[in-house]
Amino acid sequence: MNTCGAGSTCAVYFGVLAITAFFALIVVVFVVYFAIKYRDDTGDRVGAPITGWMPLELGWSLIPFFISIGIFVWASIMFFHIVRGP
């Protein structure tokens, strides 16, 4: 017996769960890595001024946008298959 109702519902759910877990793991790994690499035991260092870099800004804006649009389209297709039938 399928507890999700429809197989495609489970696929969307576990797909979103996998994407979320993947990016959460990446964030945790990088936060821990950079916290260890750049720790300041003395508290005397001052950071350099930060300037923007347009490709980086576009990258971390557009990549999540396209991932979320992809999830929306995937879930919409699944929804219409359930509502309209095969």
Side-chain angles (χ1 to χ4, degrees):
M1 178 162 146
N2 190 354
T3 59
C4 290
S8 58
T9 305
C10 287
V12 171
Y13 172 75
F14 287 118
V16 171
L17 184 67
I19 291 168
T20 303
F22 173 74
F23 284 108
L25 182 64
I26 287 176
V27 168
V28 167
V29 166
F30 277 113
V31 165
V32 169
Y33 172 74
F34 288 126
I36 292 170
K37 181 177 179 178
Y38 294 110
R39 72 175 176 258
D40 180 16
D41 296 330
T42 63
D44 295 334
R45 292 193 285 183
V46 176
I50 298 173
T51 59
W53 188 49
M54 188 59 72
L56 179 64
E57 300 287 337
L58 287 173
W60 70 33
S61 296
L62 292 177
I63 291 171
F65 173 75
F66 287 119
I67 290 172
S68 62
I69 292 298
I71 291 170
F72 174 78
V73 169
W74 184 19
S76 297
I77 291 169
M78 185 258 332
F79 172 76
F80 285 117
H81 280 296
I82 290 173
V83 170
R84 294 180 180 165

